[in-house]
């Protein structure tokens, strides 16, 4: 008589993984709504029969995933879902967010003609010191500050943009609809940074808060650079998303043509 070999022993996941999984499922399913106060560490310890160190490890992982956030002296709360913009299509911020049902409002902080700094002139293919229009706007998503947008345009296009309702309209749409300039493509460079005092004030965050920094150079349909921007997004409220295909060939030069970093 033969007997079957014993089944391999199944190892239960670490306790902190089970705590994290239970809380994550509650958040992602909607049972724990945004801004809901989570049970205290002591309550979670009692609920799961875990040590405080184990509970803190689970909470730290969830915080790193952006699913929860802490308020000093008040506890741990469920994060609101981040707004996102796909970068596989050339769209203005309001254009993309409105399509997702968000309301957008812009606060114009500065609009003036300035001599083009060296990096701006290089991006727009102008001589250094050539007059350009510089526009600073705080972008509000559902009435909460989400980004600071700093834009430079050749002076002729800047005059058209300056006449538009910049509190409600994207610069892209003004260029297309008012200036009659068909847009072609844009190149982007994205990195992480810490907010300086001016950026922090515009975004309603503390100085030194993590932000997403984007440098974008937009060209018209003929390949001429017409719009150079630096965009600063709150890292806790927004993300860029993109699709990557395995077999699409692109040279590094075509993807990252900008010189230097922001």
């Amino acid at each position: 008589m033969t007997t079957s070999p014993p089944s391999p022993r199944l190892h239960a996941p670490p306790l902190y993984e089970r705590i994290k999984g239970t809380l994550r499922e509650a958040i992602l399913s909607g049972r724990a709504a945004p801004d809901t106060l989570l049970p205290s560490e002591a309550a979670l310890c009692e609920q799961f029969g875990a040590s405080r160190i184990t509970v803190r490890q689970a909470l730290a992982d969830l915080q790193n995933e952006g699913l929860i956030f802490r308020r000093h002296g008040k506890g741990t709360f469920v994060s609101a879902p981040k707004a996102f913009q796909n970068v596989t299509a050339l769209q203005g911020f309001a254009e993309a967010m409105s399509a997702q049902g968000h309301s957008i409002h812009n606060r114009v902080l500065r609009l003036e003609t300035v001599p083009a700094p060296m990096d701006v002139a290089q991006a727009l293919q102008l001589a250094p010191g050539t007059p350009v229009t510089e526009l600073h706007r705080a972008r509000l998503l559902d009435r909460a500050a989400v980004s600071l947008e700093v834009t430079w345009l050749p002076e002729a296009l800047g005059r058209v943009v300056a006449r538009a309702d910049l509190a409600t309209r994207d610069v892209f749409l003004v260029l297309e609809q008012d200036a009659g300039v068909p847009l072609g493509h844009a190149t982007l460079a994205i990195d992480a940074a810490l907010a300086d005092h001016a950026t922090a004030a515009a975004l309603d965050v503390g100085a030194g808060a993590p932000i997403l920094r984007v440098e974008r150079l937009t060209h018209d349909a003929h390949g001429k650079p017409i719009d150079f921007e630096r965009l600063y997004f709150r890292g806790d409220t927004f993300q860029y998303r993109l699709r990557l295909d395995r077999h699409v060939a692109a040279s590094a030069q075509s993807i990252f043509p900008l010189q230097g970093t922001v």
Side-chain angles (χ1 to χ4, degrees), residues 165-178:
D165 179 7
L166 296 174
T168 60
R169 298 180 67 192
D170 278 332
V171 169
F172 281 177
L173 294 182
V174 175
L175 291 174
E176 289 183 320
Q177 297 171 358
D178 299 10

Side-chain angles (χ1 to χ4, degrees), residues 1 21 27 32 34 67 72 79 88 98 116 123 126 143 151 174 176 181 192 207 247 252 254 256 259 262:
M1 179 176 177
I27 293 169
L67 294 177
H72 183 68
S79 299
T88 51
S98 296
L126 302 171
R143 296 292 169 177
T151 304
V174 175
E176 289 183 320
V181 177
H247 298 295
S254 67
F256 300 110
Q259 300 297 316
V262 295

Side-chain angles (χ1 to χ4, degrees), residues 7-15 17-18:
S7 300
R9 185 177 178 181
L10 298 178
H11 295 282
L15 182 53
E17 289 280 3
R18 282 183 277 153

Side-chain angles (χ1 to χ4, degrees), residues 27-110:
I27 293 169
L28 296 180
S29 69
R31 289 189 290 111
D35 291 323
T36 296
L37 176 64
L38 291 181
S40 66
E41 289 183 0
L44 291 172
C45 288
E46 183 176 353
Q47 177 182 346
F48 291 97
S51 68
R52 191 173 291 267
I53 292 176
T54 299
V55 166
R56 285 178 176 171
Q57 184 177 4
L59 293 176
D61 282 2
L62 292 172
Q63 186 172 12
N64 289 337
E65 293 175 20
L67 294 177
I68 62 174
F69 64 95
R70 300 177 190 241
R71 289 179 179 154
H72 183 68
K74 295 183 178 180
T76 303
F77 296 80
V78 177
S79 299
K82 289 186 178 183
F84 67 90
Q85 182 174 356
N86 287 313
V87 292
T88 51
L90 182 56
Q91 286 184 304
F93 182 72
E95 186 180 7
M97 295 299 100
S98 296
Q100 298 178 32
H102 296 287
S103 64
I104 305 298
H105 183 78
N106 308 314
R107 189 165 60 236
V108 178
L109 305 177
R110 186 190 308 172

Side-chain angles (χ1 to χ4, degrees), residues 119-185:
D119 56 342
V120 173
Q122 181 180 6
L124 294 176
Q125 296 180 6
L126 302 171
T130 300
V132 293
T133 297
E134 181 175 316
L135 170 64
H136 294 231
R137 290 192 299 177
R139 313 300 299 267
L140 279 65
L141 181 73
D142 300 326
R143 296 292 169 177
V146 67
S147 71
L148 171 65
E149 174 187 276
V150 182
T151 304
W152 291 272
L153 301 151
E155 189 178 19
L157 293 178
R159 286 196 295 268
V160 177
V161 170
R163 294 194 295 267
D165 179 7
L166 296 174
T168 60
R169 298 180 67 192
D170 278 332
V171 169
F172 281 177
L173 294 182
V174 175
L175 291 174
E176 289 183 320
Q177 297 171 358
D178 299 10
V181 177
L183 300 183
H185 71 279

